[in-house]
Amino acid sequence: FALFEKLAARWPQLLGQIQLVGRNPLVLYLGNQLLLALFTLPRIDVWYAEAPAWLSLLQASFIVAANLAAAKWLDRRGWVLRL
């Protein structure tokens, strides 16, 4: 917890990104599962099971960027899914 507090104090925009994701966690979770399916369902070993480290890092970066973009888009529209 103390590490998180220090990071948030040093980079306040980090806290804003976390808050964006926290407003619609269920929607982003479902979107994340769809994105993961794009990478794991095709039966191409080089794409997933035997992917080199640089490709795995690129795929993970894409998933994080897509989730953050979706969170920003939902926040700009004011959409919040509540159960």
Side-chain angles (χ1 to χ4, degrees):
F1 184 73
L3 178 62
F4 178 78
E5 287 291 324
K6 288 183 186 229
L7 287 173
R10 179 143 170 89
W11 293 294
Q13 69 272 18
L14 175 68
L15 186 59
Q17 298 292 327
I18 293 171
Q19 288 175 340
L20 285 177
V21 172
R23 289 191 187 116
N24 279 305
L26 181 60
V27 173
L28 294 176
Y29 173 77
L30 295 174
N32 187 53
Q33 296 305 309
L34 290 173
L35 288 171
L36 283 174
L38 291 174
F39 295 116
T40 58
L41 288 180
R43 297 285 181 207
I44 305 169
D45 289 337
V46 177
W47 183 248
Y48 174 64
E50 298 174 6
W54 67 267
L55 182 58
S56 297
L57 183 61
L58 183 67
Q59 291 172 346
S61 299
F62 173 77
I63 290 172
V64 170
N67 280 323
L68 287 175
K72 287 180 184 179
W73 184 77
L74 289 167
D75 189 59
R76 269 189 275 127
R77 297 214 185 294
W79 294 354
V80 177
L81 177 66
R82 297 183 186 185
L83 297 176

